Amino acid sequence: MSLTPFNYAVAAAGGLLLLQWCLKPKQLAPLPPGPAGLPIVGNVADMPATREWITFAEWGRKWGGILSVTLLGRPMIIVNSAQIMSELDKQGAVYSDRPRLEMGGELVGYSQTLVLISYGARFRTYRKYFSRHFGSPLAMERHVPTVEYETRRFLKRTLANPENLMINLRKLAGGIIMQLTYGYEVQDGDDPFVTLIENANDNFSAATVPGAFVVDFFPSLRNLPEWLPGMGFMALARKWALATSNMIEIPFNYTKQQMAAGIARPSFLSENLENEKNLAAEEIDDIKLAASSMYGGGADTTVSAEYAFFLAMVLNPDAQKKAQAEIDAVIGNDRLPTLADRPDLPYINAIVSEVLRWNSVAPTGVPHTAMEDGIIGGYLIPKNSIIIANLWNMLHDPEVYPDPFKFDPERHIDTPEKPAQQNPRNVCFGYGRRICPGMHLAETSLFSVIVSSLAVLNVAKVVENGVEITPAHENTSGIISFPEPFKCTITPRSEKAISLINEEQF
Ligand code: HEM
């Protein structure tokens, strides 16, 4: 048989397949490039202590959209490019585990909750609960009254105490989540459940600071006697673990008591525990832990985005005026906007998108780990390597978003002259099987507070000693990043606006 170009190609392809089958990916591809490290410790000393997304972006300019470093022998892959992230997304079943965190996860207890639980059957059960409760625009529809009700309580609180913006936003986000999860209405003033959960979440942030606890690098330290020097983390871990347990158990018991008394409001828990006697103990545990993951994932993230919206309005009075003109033209001044107005308000929707792009709530996402060796972007991703997606860099890529530091809602609007730029929701909520399960709730809440605030309030710079203060847009470090605290004035747009806010009956 003569060797034609066709069967030569087939034979060559067959040979290549055989070669690929025989060789592991390890032997086929190199690790992504990256800064050289030291023997044993690798790049530990190169890791930035704060605002790591800036350093990772700088490394990206030198090494490319995918790069790697080594931390005590463990590869960490840093992804700066949205295209590479979409490759990871497509192979979600391989790249959707979480790193094991000895302090925050195992000792303090967050590895039982969705954000840190390892990939597997339990993870899928939690995701199923999230997905049914608010995993699509359709599922969100029945929560609209709660979101609108809490938004109006926010307007009232803000009218009364405009200087308490952050506190009011925390009450708003906490109020929505507590209502949807436990059927609990947060109280004005100090709320015991919100305090409980926020304390536990503060512990989570402190316990997961990279490099803060040596036990994260040497897990067997937890087995040493506690009287040894340097073992103080064990006492702290026990204190924090108690707070985690209270966060999980106390609101859960509240709903169960309400159910027993026949006065429970509809909520994730009351619906899923309706047939409690037919549920196995493990199923009840899953429901309890899925519930506690809702507040953990949903409160701070939404607050950060909403706080950023107020900052954007202080810094961009023209965008604010344009948004208010749209509301006045479409809705008028005789009623407050509702979520049903969403399709008719393209500029407000564009502000929602731009807030999510301009201010990264989770600048470097939440770390994933690879469950198998694999190839991404032509490079080897070894099993167990940690994968960090620099979402901040992707949302500020000048090729995708020209003039990326400018707050420019227009970029999200399609016109005959130019199509809208890429929707930031494709990036800002993460990727793969770990993509944010609260994204629809997040967008709904964000739209609600933005449109309602713009309808009745003006946000402006403060004037101190005759001088206008222009705040800087700077962000705190951490998995969830907030705009640094800033000052602004919030005043009602008109007498009519005051009466619209006050006429709401609660
Ligand atoms: C503006 C608001 C929000 C932003 C920007 C945001 C962003 C993110 C990101 C980037 C991740 C990591 C995804 C990954 O690992 O690839 C995540 C995970 C998560 N988010 Fe959100 N989120 C927001 C609001 C919410 C809300 C409202 C909820 C809950 C109701 C929520 C619950 C969660 C949970 C439980 C996870 C962990 C999922 C898992 O590990 O499988 N988030 N979010």
Side-chain angles (χ1 to χ4, degrees):
M1 192 181 81
S2 67
L3 200 60
T4 65
F6 174 70
N7 55 28
Y8 177 81
V10 171
L16 190 64
L17 277 179
L18 187 67
L19 188 70
Q20 281 183 337
W21 184 77
C22 295
L23 293 175
K24 286 194 171 267
K26 223 173 214 163
Q27 286 140 301
L28 287 177
L31 269 175
L38 297 170
I40 303 174
V41 290
N43 299 91
V44 169
D46 299 328
M47 293 306 282
T50 56
R51 303 175 78 217
E52 56 278 18
W53 52 94
I54 307 278
T55 308
F56 293 167
E58 278 161 15
W59 288 350
R61 281 192 283 283
K62 181 156 185 202
W63 302 103
I66 177 164
L67 61 105
S68 69
V69 292
T70 310
L71 304 175
L72 297 166
R74 187 172 189 184
M76 181 193 263
I77 313 293
I78 296 167
V79 175
N80 276 301
S81 128
Q83 200 193 330
I84 298 280
M85 190 168 94
S86 83
E87 275 192 54
L88 291 166
D89 183 64
K90 287 191 193 108
Q91 297 187 46
V94 178
Y95 300 110
S96 293
D97 207 353
R98 294 279 191 225
R100 180 186 161 103
L101 298 182
E102 212 54 39
M103 183 70 178
E106 306 306 315
L107 291 170
V108 178
Y110 276 89
S111 57
Q112 317 163 69
T113 67
L114 179 53
V115 68
L116 287 188
I117 198 168
S118 40
Y119 192 79
R122 216 159 181 208
F123 160 80
R124 279 191 288 274
T125 306
Y126 290 7
R127 295 281 312 196
K128 185 187 70 193
Y129 283 128
F130 265 78
S131 167
R132 282 198 205 136
H133 201 50
F134 36 53
S136 66
L138 191 67
M140 270 309 299
E141 267 173 28
R142 68 196 181 107
H143 303 315
V144 161
T146 303
V147 174
E148 289 180 343
Y149 172 75
E150 289 295 335
T151 306
R152 281 154 200 214
R153 286 180 83 193
F154 164 80
L155 290 180
K156 239 182 179 164
R157 286 187 199 115
T158 303
L159 187 66
N161 292 301
E163 65 291 348
N164 287 354
L165 178 60
M166 187 46 121
I167 295 173
N168 296 339
L169 288 174
R170 285 196 178 282
K171 274 273 153 66
L172 168 64
I176 292 172
I177 293 272
M178 291 301 284
Q179 191 71 262
L180 296 186
T181 309
Y182 296 105
Y184 173 78
E185 183 166 326
V186 298
Q187 300 167 11
D188 283 325
D190 284 341
D191 182 280
F193 285 5
V194 170
T195 309
L196 181 84
I197 299 176
E198 285 187 350
N199 282 345
N201 283 347
D202 289 348
N203 299 344
F204 172 76
S205 305
T208 54
V209 170
F213 294 96
V214 71
V215 67
D216 282 331
F217 297 104
F218 305 105
S220 50
L221 280 181
R222 62 185 282 186
N223 303 320
L224 295 180
E226 284 190 35
W227 49 262
L228 283 175
M231 288 296 289
F233 70 86
M234 284 301 281
L236 191 58
R238 262 196 307 278
K239 184 173 151 209
W240 285 351
L242 179 64
T244 311
S245 158
N246 288 341
M247 168 194 85
I248 294 167
E249 301 294 339
I250 293 177
F252 176 81
N253 289 336
Y254 161 84
T255 309
K256 281 193 63 166
Q257 280 157 12
Q258 296 289 102
M259 290 174 74
I263 51 171
R265 297 163 190 244
S267 67
F268 169 77
L269 261 190
S270 68
E271 282 163 20
N272 284 288
L273 291 181
E274 214 164 3
N275 291 319
E276 194 182 347
K277 51 184 179 313
N278 300 329
L279 297 173
E282 197 176 288
E283 286 172 303
I284 297 174
D285 245 22
D286 284 349
I287 293 168
K288 181 165 47 176
L289 288 161
S292 73
S293 311
M294 290 178 180
Y295 194 100
D300 280 1
T301 43
T302 316
V303 171
S304 165
E306 291 169 351
Y307 196 50
F309 156 72
F310 280 91
L311 177 61
M313 292 303 99
V314 177
L315 296 174
N316 298 278
D318 291 346
Q320 180 170 186
K321 280 198 197 88
K322 194 161 178 186
Q324 290 174 329
E326 181 178 79
I327 295 170
D328 295 347
V330 174
I331 294 165
N333 300 312
D334 292 333
R335 66 171 176 91
L336 287 174
T338 67
L339 281 156
D341 297 311
R342 210 167 160 184
D344 304 321
L345 297 166
Y347 194 75
I348 306 297
N349 284 304
I351 290 191
V352 173
S353 297
E354 186 63 347
V355 164
L356 288 169
R357 187 201 68 81
W358 178 72
N359 177 78
S360 293
V361 166
T364 48
V366 181
H368 291 216
T369 49
M371 291 174 274
E372 292 168 19
D373 282 356
I375 306 273
I376 292 287
Y379 293 108
L380 170 71
I381 312 294
K383 181 176 176 176
N384 279 333
S385 47
I386 298 172
I387 305 169
I388 305 285
N390 190 356
L391 308 182
W392 177 86
N393 190 60
M394 299 173 206
L395 295 166
H396 291 80
D397 179 348
E399 303 277 316
V400 184
Y401 303 108
D403 204 355
F405 296 99
K406 182 175 172 197
F407 182 85
D408 178 13
E410 311 277 349
R411 64 171 91 238
H412 304 290
I413 297 178
D414 254 325
T415 64
E417 296 78 48
K418 56 165 189 58
Q421 293 165 19
Q422 195 190 93
N423 194 328
R425 76 201 302 261
N426 299 339
V427 168
C428 74
F429 293 114
Y431 66 95
R433 309 273 164 98
R434 290 283 182 173
I435 193 167
C436 174
M439 60 195 279
H440 299 289
L441 174 59
E443 287 180 325
T444 304
S445 305
L446 199 51
F447 178 88
S448 182
V449 69
I450 287 179
V451 74
S452 307
S453 302
L454 287 167
V456 289
L457 302 171
N458 281 324
V459 187
K461 290 178 187 169
V462 290
V463 177
E464 284 176 357
N465 304 323
V467 181
E468 252 189 3
I469 310 289
T470 302
H473 178 205
E474 280 164 3
N475 286 74
T476 61
S477 299
I479 286 192
I480 298 173
S481 165
F482 291 83
E484 291 282 3
F486 63 92
K487 288 183 181 170
C488 65
T489 66
I490 301 179
T491 48
R493 278 183 75 195
S494 62
E495 285 301 317
K496 179 75 190 167
I498 298 178
S499 62
L500 280 179
I501 298 172
N502 285 332
E503 92 195 4
E504 289 300 321
Q505 301 296 314
F506 299 116

